[in-house]
Amino acid sequence: MGSSNRKKKEKKKDFQKAKLKVGKAKAKAANFTDTSFKAKSIVVNQQTLVTDATDLLEQFKQNLSLAINAKPDNQRRDALSYIYNQLSAKPPNNPVGTAGLLTKLLPLLSDSASSVRANLLKLFRVLPPSEVSPHVEKILMYIRGGMTHLSNDVRNDTLNVMEWLLDVAGDETVSCPGGWLKTLNSFSSMLGWNPSVTSAISNQGWTATSASKTTLGTRKGPESHARQIQLLAKFIQIGFQRETPATYDPRAYWDNIYRLPATANPFAYLNLFGTPRDEDSEMYPNRMSRMRVFDAKWRSAIVTGMDGAKKEGGLVGRAAASLDRALKGEVKVKANNSEPEQ
Amino acid sequence: MVKRKVAALEKVDADLVNLQYKIRRDPKSYAQEFYDQWLAYDAQRQIFIASPTTASTDDVTKFHDLVDLVAHVADLYPDLTAAYPDHLKELLNQHHAILSPELREKVVGSLTLLRRKDVIDSTSLLTTLFPILISTPSKTLRTLLYGKIISDLRESNSKSINHRLNRTIQTVLHNLVTSDRTSTKGMWATRITRELWRRQIWTDAKPCDVMKEACLSDNEKVVVGGVRFFLGGDKEREEMEDEGSDEEFDIKRAKHQSVINKKTKKRQKAYEKAIDKVKKQERKKSAPHPLNFSALHLIHDPQGFAELLFQKHLQNTKCKFSLDNKLLVLQLVTRLVGLHKLTIISLYSWFVRYLTPKQPQVTSFLASLAQATHDLVPPDAIEPLMVKIANEFVSEASASEVAAAGINAIREVAIRQPLCMTETLLQDLVLYQRSKDKGVVMAAKGLQSLYREVYPELLQKKYRGKEATMGLRSGEVKLRKFGEEEAGGIDGIELLEEWKLEQKKRKVAEAMASGVEKKEGEEDDEDGFNSDEWEVGSSESDESEDGWINMSDDEDDEPATKRPRTEAEAAAYVDGQEKTAEAIRVSTLAQTSILTPADLLKLQELRREAQVDRVLNPSRVSKRKKELILRHIDEGVTADDIELPAMLGKKSTKEERVALAKDGKPGRDEHKSTQAIKRSKKEAEGKSTTNKEKARKKNFLMTVGKARAKNKKSLIDRGKTLKMHIARSKQGGRRRNRDGG
């Protein structure tokens, strides 16, 4: 009874007119907005909607920034496809240059939307290979980051980028600083064949734990596993490839002295200005050094993993066989090498 | 509402936290996952280091998250993450200026987290953070680092004092201050030292040494930091201690609340916590007080320090400090001189220039002068200053405040060195008690009463007063010569002796009453009392039947040298005799017996009692002595002491009075009753109403039925209710469920 009375009163209150009183400030309206504050900066959430920018350069730049910064993934994807179109036009139109493009777009490797990643790979494929090769070290950093990403999709797409890179600049990939050992490390970690993890753990207790092959939360089908092994095989194959001996050039000596070098960083192996490198991030410029390091650090682990994979049969087994061939090919080559010495 | 569909990948992305949780629960099974993330971290780190300035925001956030993950689980994989602390240190050392604020904060936080997990030790953490603290231009980073450094030092000293770490850091701070005396970097040394001093983490001489070096720096800011520490650091420390003990917890209330409130686990826990806290506080109270020396006492070579300070910042004409800061330095120098009784003769002649009424803040200079005076200062050095003050400040023509301040300053100096005054000057100054201004009168009278006690010969006969005249005649009031020290014993030992004697007498009386006669030798052994002393007392008690001794009888035994002539003189003579007799006895007690710990405790207690007594009965002690008792030796003279008499007899303005009245009362912007203000305040704090208030608000119709029923009660029922009411009030006034009431 009492409460209903109260409710009635409360209901009435909404429609009552506020009494004005002498000497009192007027009551503020319900929709009153306090504007007394001061702001140091204003953020405009909307971006310009004008699309018909007359200047091609401006348009390209806008799309490039959209590809990086836009929130919705459709917008990013469309921007990437615009850039792709510009690059694949018959005289390719690239006002910012491959280097600029790569610096801006590489963080998209681990983008959350798969369509963006697919478009990015498409875009990379049309980049001129000769301009990509000087930036291999940088690209590899992002690839390594992507290969150990939490999400399986990102890992797989990164493998595609890796494949592209091996196609475009295989030699540089295996010989750049950190390109050989660190990438192998990432591969083996991806496959679960990493000896350092097992050694780090096994000394903590006496139950022998094998490195688990399943990753957190995501299903890993045989296809992706097989693909990883395949790519590793390709990587190793390129690493163990025999260099074609340079043909004798009588002017090479004088060119070396008096001409500007043709390659981007000819004295990279000296590491004159960088931070001192450890064993992993060292560069292994020729086949012999790569093989030596591989034998010392990775062969046993990878062979063990490979044997396990072979036994699985199917897709994985076949991929493992190709890896075996890659390793064997190297053995054959090694045998060939050793023969003339004897 | 439609739930936003979260893409699978987004979920995974957010799952670094989830992964962290899983890793921590089962580090072995998730080692592979962790290693993947470790590699990802490594790759991101290289991307970042390759071009720290141009790294995209995307990369930075990714790196930030990975740093966070690795920091949280680094202790679980010590082999894999061995390089991690070094990575962070390197990152911070080389790129702290260009790191984004969030990443920077994360790196600092991760390092401290590693410290807490004992992955790295305090020394390496602090030696990493400290150089950045003093070199970074970013204020937020400085604040963060300062906080982290202080908290880490506190933490590592919490269980037991980490001497090694403290020594390392103190050495670092010392080097910081001494390496480049012109830079402001020393500020950080002073700030850190002061904070740790305030928290009583550092209490030894080394931090004082750091501050001493700071005082001798060339940079004004650093000097002021150091000087302020010596002038106020100890007070700050005391205040901090008081604050800590202030938050008392009402245990009775907590107990009551635990009874009336619903019993939940949370409340139970809170109650237990409160109990623990109270217990801890009690333990703290009963713990022996840490013997903390004041910073001024811990200074090594105060004479050299004061001299250097004086020469460098005050005497040096090239020193361009502001007046305020110079005054601070002066305060420190004079404080040191007064406290340690140092001799810096040139200091007094330096003062001459500043002792004019036109000098800004002259009262501070006067206070410093008073502070710099002690009984070992040659009177010749101060005398010209006294004359100068008298000439400049005290004249009929000068304003009354000025004259009052001048006379008061002279008095403050004279308290410490009475020999600084000449007869003519004093007689002239004393005459100012005929002035019209109350402040001047009080100051002049103060000076007069001071000299009545210490050196009445200088006063004209009519101003000497009765006591001083009598004292002069009896030889009790004697001028202490320059360098003469008061013969001192153990403070309060005569009280102890008196008490012991009383105890003895009471025992004897008891023994007599019970009729059991004990041999005196036995009693001696019991008390551990000096036998010679006791023999005297006992022989007397044997003579008097009731065992009471008349103390004043003592002097009758001694041969009187000179008989008093008048009654008044006789009284004074008796007093003097008694005192000398006491002094003699004091020395014998301290010399002939060993004071046990129990004796010392009693002595302390008696001393405290005596002090309370002295404060409560001011008539027994002269004003000057009372002042000296109240003022601790560590406290210096301030400008307020000099200005005080000038304020006497001044009426305050209306605004001041209104402000004084309003102070501490709730503000009222509208007309409201006090009750209403209280209620609204309670409501705003989210507190509930009392039962009375609830009853008042209750709907009338809900209560009317009960009221009516009460009226209709039969006589028997009424009696029952009344009985129940009485029973309830006896039990504690609480109505139980269904107790029939």
Side-chain angles (χ1 to χ4, degrees):
Chain A
M1 208 162 76
S3 81
S4 78
N5 236 343
R6 188 169 50 109
K7 272 179 191 161
K8 261 184 216 163
K9 258 187 205 162
E10 270 177 12
K11 268 183 195 166
K12 248 188 210 167
K13 218 190 245 169
D14 292 341
F15 303 100
Q16 263 170 357
K17 209 175 180 184
K19 261 187 192 165
L20 295 174
K21 279 183 187 168
V22 181
K24 301 251 161 136
K26 205 172 145 191
K28 301 233 163 82
N31 59 356
F32 173 75
T33 310
D34 187 15
T35 52
S36 61
F37 61 87
K38 278 180 189 167
K40 273 191 182 168
S41 64
I42 295 175
V43 177
V44 180
N45 269 334
Q46 263 171 339
Q47 286 156 345
T48 174
L49 299 174
V50 181
T51 50
D52 53 335
T54 45
D55 195 358
L56 257 180
L57 173 71
E58 283 306 311
Q59 218 170 341
F60 191 90
K61 279 186 175 169
Q62 193 194 2
N63 270 296
L64 189 57
S65 84
L66 269 183
I68 308 154
N69 298 327
K71 268 273 149 62
D73 27 316
N74 285 340
Q75 218 168 353
R76 265 177 289 159
R77 187 195 62 201
D78 294 345
L80 280 178
S81 57
Y82 172 85
I83 298 171
Y84 169 73
N85 286 336
Q86 293 294 314
L87 292 181
S88 59
K90 248 320 127 185
N93 171 31
N94 186 359
V96 293
T98 309
L101 214 56
L102 279 176
T103 2
K104 293 275 180 197
L105 294 181
L106 275 173
L108 286 182
L109 262 183
S110 46
D111 194 277
S112 57
S114 61
S115 57
V116 173
R117 292 195 305 266
N119 266 11
L120 185 69
L121 179 61
K122 219 166 81 178
L123 192 151
F124 280 164
R125 286 212 168 108
V126 294
L127 287 174
S130 60
E131 290 178 27
V132 171
S133 46
H135 305 290
V136 162
E137 191 186 345
K138 191 168 193 185
I139 301 173
L140 261 183
M141 282 181 193
Y142 281 93
I143 288 181
R144 282 198 297 267
M147 275 165 79
T148 47
H149 199 269
L150 259 185
S151 120
N152 221 20
D153 294 342
V154 174
R155 289 177 179 210
N156 287 340
D157 286 346
T158 312
L159 280 185
N160 293 337
V161 178
M162 183 75 188
E163 192 174 21
W164 160 75
L165 191 65
L166 286 176
D167 287 341
V168 171
D171 278 344
E172 284 84 353
T173 310
V174 289
S175 60
C176 75
W180 181 242
L181 277 190
K182 284 208 160 176
T183 316
L184 273 176
N185 198 0
S186 292
F187 263 118
S188 57
S189 168
M190 200 176 185
L191 290 161
W193 295 350
N194 206 317
S196 60
V197 176
T198 24
S199 71
I201 289 159
S202 54
N203 58 14
Q204 287 180 357
W206 46 273
T207 38
T209 49
S210 63
S212 62
K213 275 186 200 162
T214 51
T215 1
L216 172 81
T218 48
R219 190 177 48 82
K220 202 184 202 178
E223 296 89 359
S224 65
H225 200 202
R227 181 151 171 69
Q228 287 161 10
I229 296 176
Q230 252 172 13
L231 217 63
L232 176 61
K234 188 170 183 178
F235 182 71
I236 288 177
Q237 197 195 336
I238 289 175
F240 290 167
Q241 219 170 34
R242 303 194 61 177
E243 296 109 344
T244 47
T247 49
Y248 175 69
D249 185 1
R251 287 170 57 193
Y253 178 74
W254 298 107
D255 282 356
N256 206 14
I257 296 175
Y258 292 114
R259 295 216 166 165
L260 284 176
T263 47
N265 193 1
F267 302 111
Y269 57 92
L270 291 175
N271 191 23
L272 287 175
F273 306 111
T275 49
R277 296 170 183 151
D278 57 347
E279 192 189 11
D280 275 1
S281 50
E282 194 49 77
M283 62 190 289
Y284 297 95
N286 54 39
R287 172 166 166 270
M288 289 312 291
S289 58
R290 283 196 286 269
M291 283 207 300
R292 201 175 52 242
V293 173
F294 182 79
D295 284 346
K297 290 198 75 175
W298 287 106
R299 180 173 289 278
S300 62
I302 285 186
V303 166
T304 322
M306 189 183 69
D307 289 345
K310 261 189 192 170
K311 280 169 197 156
E312 279 185 36
L315 267 179
V316 178
R318 242 171 289 154
S322 74
L323 175 61
D324 197 15
R325 239 173 291 134
L327 289 174
K328 284 263 174 60
E330 167 262 318
V331 169
K332 209 170 66 192
V333 170
K334 200 177 184 181
N336 287 349
N337 263 1
S338 57
E339 268 170 9
E341 279 171 29
Q342 283 171 349
Chain B
M1 246 177 82
V2 185
K3 257 192 187 170
R4 197 174 74 90
K5 213 174 173 187
V6 183
L9 190 57
E10 280 184 24
K11 258 191 219 161
V12 172
D13 259 341
D15 258 6
L16 275 180
V17 181
N18 190 13
L19 178 63
Q20 181 192 324
Y21 167 72
K22 285 178 169 160
I23 288 175
R24 273 157 89 178
R25 289 193 61 182
D26 188 0
K28 255 186 214 171
S29 313
Y30 284 93
Q32 178 65 48
E33 276 75 10
F34 171 73
Y35 191 63
D36 282 357
Q37 293 317 304
W38 170 253
L39 288 180
Y41 153 79
D42 205 40
Q44 281 298 341
R45 188 176 72 88
Q46 275 180 347
I47 291 169
F48 185 80
I49 284 182
S51 60
T53 41
T54 56
S56 71
T57 48
D58 220 20
D59 282 336
V60 171
T61 43
K62 244 183 259 170
F63 187 47
H64 174 274
D65 293 347
L66 286 166
V67 164
D68 184 43
L69 172 78
V70 177
H72 276 95
V73 296
D75 56 326
L76 302 172
Y77 307 103
D79 294 348
L80 292 178
T81 58
Y84 181 64
D86 292 334
H87 286 174
L88 292 184
K89 281 180 203 167
E90 191 189 310
L91 194 68
L92 208 58
N93 275 328
Q94 292 176 358
H95 306 297
H96 65 83
I98 44 174
L99 286 177
S100 78
E102 281 158 30
L103 183 58
R104 202 169 55 189
E105 197 170 321
K106 178 52 74 186
V107 172
V108 174
S110 300
L111 269 176
T112 47
L113 184 65
L114 291 180
R115 162 74 203 101
R116 253 181 287 144
K117 289 177 185 273
D118 258 339
V119 178
I120 55 175
D121 60 345
S122 267
T123 317
S124 79
L125 173 71
L126 292 174
T127 45
T128 313
L129 297 187
F130 196 71
I132 300 168
L133 173 73
I134 55 180
S135 62
T136 180
S138 154
K139 195 175 179 184
T140 45
L141 182 61
R142 280 197 304 255
T143 327
L144 177 75
L145 290 175
Y146 177 71
K148 295 283 184 202
I149 287 175
I150 294 288
S151 69
D152 187 67
L153 278 171
R154 275 179 72 192
E155 198 104 311
S156 30
N157 278 307
S158 62
K159 274 185 192 140
S160 62
I161 298 171
N162 190 345
H163 286 291
R164 178 185 273 184
L165 176 72
N166 289 345
R167 222 178 305 131
T168 320
I169 299 302
Q170 282 159 4
T171 313
V172 168
L173 295 181
H174 193 270
N175 290 343
L176 180 72
V177 174
T178 49
S179 62
D180 184 6
R181 290 195 183 266
T182 49
S183 75
T184 43
K185 284 175 183 174
M187 269 302 291
W188 289 104
T190 59
R191 273 192 73 182
I192 290 175
T193 311
R194 187 165 191 178
E195 181 66 21
L196 292 171
W197 184 268
R198 191 168 71 94
R199 295 181 183 279
Q200 299 195 22
I201 295 165
W202 289 355
T203 50
D204 49 343
K206 197 96 189 268
C208 291
D209 214 39
V210 173
M211 286 309 211
K212 189 177 140 188
E213 291 302 331
C215 288
L216 295 175
S217 156
D218 291 328
N219 189 289
E220 193 169 352
K221 272 187 176 176
V222 180
V223 171
V224 170
V227 170
R228 274 187 198 280
F229 167 76
F230 282 117
L231 291 177
D234 294 308
K235 203 161 200 180
E236 227 177 38
R237 183 168 71 177
E238 271 166 36
E239 274 164 17
M240 175 87 176
E241 206 174 12
D242 290 346
E243 264 172 42
S245 58
D246 250 8
E247 29 177 293
E248 297 242 327
F249 186 78
D250 192 359
I251 192 118
K252 219 171 172 186
R253 195 171 155 215
K255 238 177 211 168
H256 177 65
Q257 274 179 345
S258 75
V259 171
I260 55 173
N261 286 335
K262 188 180 173 188
K263 282 168 190 62
T264 62
K265 255 187 197 165
K266 193 179 169 190
R267 278 206 184 114
Q268 180 68 20
K269 231 179 237 170
Y271 176 67
E272 274 164 14
K273 226 179 198 175
I275 296 277
D276 269 357
K277 202 173 172 188
V278 168
K279 270 186 189 163
K280 208 183 259 175
Q281 267 178 6
E282 266 165 19
R283 224 176 300 140
K284 214 179 185 182
K285 253 182 216 162
S286 61
H289 186 72
L291 194 63
N292 285 337
F293 289 105
S294 116
L296 288 169
H297 287 288
L298 284 173
I299 292 177
H300 175 67
D301 183 20
Q303 172 76 43
F305 177 47
E307 269 175 18
L308 261 180
L309 211 56
F310 174 62
Q311 281 165 10
K312 197 162 185 186
H313 302 313
L314 298 175
Q315 214 174 18
N316 185 3
T317 46
K318 278 176 192 158
C319 174
K320 294 287 175 234
F321 287 5
S322 75
L323 180 67
D324 283 345
N325 294 342
K326 263 192 180 169
L327 268 175
L328 279 177
V329 176
L330 178 63
Q331 266 172 32
L332 177 58
V333 171
T334 53
R335 189 81 170 278
L336 283 170
V337 168
L339 191 65
H340 293 280
K341 299 202 172 173
L342 310 176
T343 315
I344 308 178
I345 298 298
S346 50
L347 175 67
Y348 304 102
S349 53
W350 178 85
F351 263 111
V352 174
R353 198 147 58 94
Y354 297 95
L355 297 180
T356 58
K358 278 183 184 162
Q359 168 71 32
Q361 306 209 11
V362 68
T363 46
S364 296
F365 278 100
L366 291 172
S368 298
L369 175 61
Q371 219 169 214
T373 318
H374 52 84
D375 52 4
L376 294 182
V377 176
D380 315 351
I382 329 176
E383 211 186 288
L385 294 180
M386 295 293 99
V387 175
K388 167 112 185 179
I389 294 175
N391 290 343
E392 294 273 355
F393 289 79
V394 193
S395 74
E396 294 291 351
S398 60
S400 58
E401 286 97 343
V402 175
I407 298 177
N408 203 38
I410 289 174
R411 178 173 154 265
E412 288 288 342
V413 174
I415 286 177
R416 290 162 179 81
Q417 176 58 292
L419 295 172
C420 67
M421 193 64 76
T422 57
E423 198 170 351
T424 45
L425 179 61
L426 181 66
Q427 286 174 2
D428 181 39
L429 290 176
V430 166
L431 282 180
Y432 275 89
Q433 57 185 292
R434 288 191 202 137
S435 160
K436 275 176 203 161
D437 186 77
K438 197 171 180 187
V440 177
V441 172
M442 296 305 283
K445 279 189 175 164
L447 190 65
Q448 172 188 307
S449 64
L450 168 72
Y451 269 90
R452 276 180 178 177
E453 275 177 42
V454 293
Y455 198 1
E457 287 102 319
L458 280 192
L459 289 167
Q460 274 177 330
K461 261 187 189 159
K462 60 177 171 178
Y463 291 118
R464 279 182 197 169
K466 192 167 92 182
E467 276 178 38
T469 318
M470 286 195 308
L472 264 183
R473 198 169 296 171
S474 69
E476 185 202 339
V477 179
K478 234 194 283 171
L479 176 69
R480 252 196 279 159
K481 282 172 201 140
F482 177 68
E484 190 181 333
E485 285 280 340
E486 201 170 1
I490 300 167
D491 181 25
I493 191 101
E494 69 280 355
L495 295 169
L496 182 70
E497 194 183 13
E498 220 169 279
W499 177 79
K500 279 203 163 183
L501 221 52
E502 244 166 58
Q503 289 296 99
K504 191 95 323 184
K505 271 178 265 163
R506 214 194 56 215
K507 247 180 207 169
V508 171
E510 274 170 15
M512 299 274 267
S514 61
V516 182
E517 297 252 349
K518 271 191 183 177
K519 291 221 168 178
E520 261 121 46
E522 283 170 21
E523 277 181 18
D524 271 1
D525 295 341
E526 241 174 50
D527 258 349
F529 210 80
N530 190 285
S531 55
D532 293 356
E533 285 283 332
W534 178 232
E535 225 70 80
V536 176
S538 65
S539 63
E540 277 180 359
S541 70
D542 281 356
E543 285 163 13
S544 56
E545 284 291 314
D546 52 8
W548 285 96
I549 310 171
N550 197 350
M551 296 294 288
S552 56
D553 285 355
D554 278 2
E555 85 234 14
D556 284 0
D557 304 339
E558 295 168 9
T561 48
K562 209 176 175 188
R563 283 284 124 188
R565 269 167 287 177
T566 61
E567 283 292 313
E569 274 184 9
Y573 176 77
V574 166
D575 256 26
Q577 289 289 314
E578 208 167 310
K579 269 183 194 156
T580 47
E582 253 173 41
I584 290 160
R585 222 172 335 132
V586 162
S587 58
T588 53
L589 176 67
Q591 284 163 11
T592 51
S593 67
I594 295 168
L595 298 179
T596 60
D599 283 344
L600 290 177
L601 265 182
K602 190 71 203 174
L603 180 64
Q604 222 169 11
E605 190 187 317
L606 288 171
R607 238 185 262 161
R608 221 175 302 133
E609 269 174 22
Q611 187 160 357
V612 170
D613 204 36
R614 253 177 287 170
V615 173
L616 289 180
N617 300 329
S619 61
R620 281 171 51 179
V621 193
S622 75
K623 262 186 190 170
R624 191 180 73 86
K625 271 188 190 151
K626 201 169 68 192
E627 203 170 278
L628 284 179
I629 289 161
L630 289 176
R631 183 185 287 162
H632 194 268
I633 188 160
D634 277 359
E635 285 171 27
V637 187
T638 59
D640 289 343
D641 295 335
I642 305 291
E643 286 165 12
L644 195 67
M647 304 309 278
L648 284 172
K650 292 278 175 302
K651 275 184 181 167
S652 51
T653 59
K654 191 182 177 192
E655 283 79 32
E656 284 169 351
R657 271 172 296 171
V658 168
L660 203 68
K662 267 189 181 169
D663 192 32
K665 289 206 175 122
R668 49 180 93 212
D669 30 5
E670 52 187 328
H671 186 66
K672 238 180 182 181
S673 73
T674 325
Q675 285 290 321
I677 288 175
K678 263 186 202 163
R679 211 177 301 137
S680 62
K681 196 176 152 199
K682 240 177 159 185
E683 211 167 283
E685 280 170 358
K687 284 177 179 161
S688 58
T689 51
T690 61
N691 283 346
K692 223 177 197 175
E693 277 168 343
K694 275 184 188 125
R696 225 177 266 148
K697 271 188 183 169
K698 201 168 186 176
N699 194 341
F700 163 70
L701 286 170
M702 288 166 93
T703 55
V704 76
K706 195 177 181 183
R708 240 180 237 155
K710 271 186 186 168
N711 281 340
K712 284 180 187 167
K713 259 186 210 166
S714 70
L715 202 59
I716 291 176
D717 277 344
R718 183 161 301 192
K720 230 189 217 167
T721 336
L722 282 173
K723 257 184 214 159
M724 290 308 294
H725 177 78
I726 289 163
R728 260 207 317 277
S729 65
K730 272 180 188 166
Q731 282 161 4
R734 263 155 58 73
R735 194 189 286 269
R736 305 239 169 75
N737 284 341
R738 307 284 105 218
D739 67 346

